[in-house]
Amino acid sequence: MLQRSFLVKCEALPAVFVVILLLAVSGSVLSVPAASSRGDSKPVDNLVAAAQSALRQGGKISTALTPEDDGDVDRHRKTSFTSPVDGYFIQERASRALPEPGQHKNFGALVPWDQVTAKLNAETKLLFLIRHGQAWSNYLEEVLGPDLWYGVVSKCGFTTGNGTDYQIFDAELTDAGQAQAENLHAMLGSNSTYKTITGNLPTRAIVSPLSRCLDTASIVLADMPVTNINTEELIRETLGSDTCDARRSVSDPPGGGKPETGPCAFDRGLKSKYPQYDFPILGDDKTDFGLLTDDDHLWKKNKREKQKHQVRRAEKFLETLFNNAEEQVIVVVTHSGFIRSLLLAIDREPYRPKNAEVVPAIIQVRNR
């Protein structure tokens, strides 16, 4: 970091010299951070070189949306949902994000949990938004930095010079990600914590159908009392372009290859890989929890979902939730992008959680 004294001295220099000095201090545009010691589940030899090669080959595709996909949206319009409390959770302020993976004290609650659950009724629910544990996509982005990661994020995977394979499509948990999920499970299971934060009320779990969330939920929710566990298409990560956010089909692809839609080949579909979950296929007009189609028809190669569209998707999920779940407490295992959009949909600041972090939110129907 540049020292303040250095910046003060720069003020007296011509602008061109300041630019040259800043470039000399900051390094090249494609600078690469040092490899993190957290979650190094595979050797990273030649990883940067392989990513640089992919970037030179033009590995990143266009993410531009067509004009018809970018309708005129009033970003200040009121949604159908809101958060009726203020000062209940530290995560109400986006600037209070943790610097490292972990949990806020008391999962961020600034008031007793019985005061939180006392707010609940037929029109008001308590959601525990849980981001999945560290996935290989998170690890690679951290090691490579944003510039090199941008060059490989649209690939199904790549191999380094020493033969180490990294799968990007439907990115799975690293060893560190599994440990993060196990730590959260231990925290919830100790000292009746789960019972305390849920008010011992019936609790439903809803999980994104991407591997990193399904694996996280299997670990975190093991032996936890839940009434139902649903998989839900609407709570997926930002759609399009990045293959880590594409999902596999419910059924196995023919011959263990590439399905009709989707960017990459895989051997097992969701039903075979995760027999402990149900994956109901409900069609485009679905009104209950489940998936739209067998194959992934939401992910588009050349279109990256904008946040205003994701906020609308979050609203649609909340409509589905309030129409179909009688439970007042809901555990949602999902992604950082979707969590931020859901918080925006309820008039909260877009807090960005770390891997396996819990973000509580009280949500109320604004106009029923």
Side-chain angles (χ1 to χ4, degrees), residues 73-220:
V73 177
D74 180 5
R75 65 181 59 193
H76 300 297
R77 67 186 179 87
K78 286 188 176 181
T79 68
S80 301
F81 303 91
T82 188
S83 182
V85 299
D86 185 40
Y88 270 49
F89 308 111
I90 196 170
Q91 297 94 334
E92 291 169 14
R93 297 282 296 276
S95 59
R96 299 295 187 262
L98 291 168
E100 302 289 342
Q103 306 294 337
H104 281 289
K105 181 180 178 181
N106 203 23
F107 296 111
L110 302 174
V111 299
W113 281 105
D114 57 358
Q115 184 176 336
V116 173
T117 54
K119 288 285 185 180
L120 307 183
N121 52 51
E123 302 292 312
T124 307
K125 297 184 186 295
L126 170 62
L127 269 62
F128 291 102
L129 304 168
I130 302 177
R131 185 187 178 189
H132 58 79
Q134 184 197 58
W136 281 111
S137 52
N138 307 134
Y139 169 74
L140 289 172
E141 183 176 15
E142 181 180 352
V143 172
L144 296 175
D147 298 303
L148 291 181
W149 172 239
Y150 188 80
V152 299
V153 70
S154 62
K155 294 181 174 295
C156 296
F158 68 99
T159 304
T160 64
N162 67 345
T164 302
D165 293 321
Y166 291 89
Q167 177 180 313
I168 299 175
F169 166 73
D170 188 24
E172 299 179 342
L173 295 182
T174 64
D175 291 347
Q178 295 179 37
Q180 291 165 350
E182 290 167 358
N183 288 339
L184 177 54
H185 175 265
M187 292 180 67
L188 293 173
S190 65
N191 300 319
S192 301
T193 298
Y194 182 86
K195 179 179 178 180
T196 299
I197 67 175
T198 62
N200 203 28
L201 295 170
T203 300
R204 178 187 294 257
I206 303 175
V207 186
S208 163
L210 296 187
S211 290
R212 54 191 182 272
C213 288
L214 294 166
D215 287 331
T216 298
S218 295
I219 297 171
V220 172

